[in-house]
Amino acid sequence: MTLAGTKTAVEWLVSVAPDPDACRREWERNPLGVTLLPAGRGWDVLILPGDLGLAALDVLRLLPGGPGPVLADFGDSRVGFLVPPGTASRWLGTGVRGAGCGTWIVVPYPGRATGGVRWLVVPDGSGTLTDPAVLELAMHEAAATAASAGATGPRGPEGRKP
């Protein structure tokens, strides 16, 4: 990410902060390189279990336009997709958590290595978010792919299951 791209991403992210200057200072002072930002203003976050989230991200990357910003926690046990505000309150899905109005998320500085949370897809500052309908389809595709891989399982030397 270029310096100009990072600055644009930072400005976009801090635009939802109650005090953007305090947010920038927190990024500088925090030894983990993270700050808290409110969800529900510029985006909501749909948080998927790591395996499903990473597989859905792979599917989204194959589509024109790709995904919006995507976060992962330490160890990739959870993956968070930034989606339009209001999505979390309307989402009906098992195993998916939503962070919307009234919640806060941990956000790393764009383009900088941090401890714990990191960007898998760094925001570009344009406001592009992941379309929740497309994310849902990507989740179905990822789950179907995982299920078919599990159904065939490992094969023995003659092509049969051991």
Side-chain angles (χ1 to χ4, degrees):
M1 174 173 263
T2 66
L3 183 58
T6 299
K7 183 176 180 177
T8 304
V10 167
E11 293 308 312
W12 179 71
L13 288 166
V14 301
S15 71
V16 302
D19 183 345
D21 291 331
C23 179
R24 286 186 201 89
R25 284 191 303 274
E26 181 63 23
W27 262 326
E28 295 302 321
R29 285 195 325 248
N30 186 307
L32 297 177
V34 297
T35 192
L36 288 173
L37 288 174
R41 290 183 177 183
W43 58 82
D44 283 359
V45 183
L46 292 180
I47 305 162
L48 283 60
D51 290 344
L52 178 60
L54 293 172
L57 178 58
D58 287 343
V59 172
L60 290 170
R61 284 183 166 148
L62 297 174
L63 301 176
V70 181
L71 293 163
D73 68 355
F74 182 74
D76 295 340
S77 63
R78 287 179 296 278
V79 176
F81 293 83
L82 275 65
V83 294
T87 301
S89 64
R90 295 186 309 268
W91 189 266
L92 301 173
T94 304
V96 177
R97 293 178 26 213
C101 192
T103 62
W104 293 74
I105 60 169
V106 175
V107 179
Y109 192 88
R112 192 180 294 164
T114 64
V117 178
R118 71 184 198 295
W119 290 106
L120 296 177
V121 178
V122 179
D124 62 10
S126 70
T128 300
L129 300 169
T130 299
D131 180 324
V134 176
L135 174 58
E136 182 177 12
L137 293 173
M139 290 167 55
H140 287 289
E141 177 69 24
T145 300
S148 68
T152 58
R155 302 279 177 182
E158 297 168 7
R160 289 181 273 125
K161 288 186 179 182

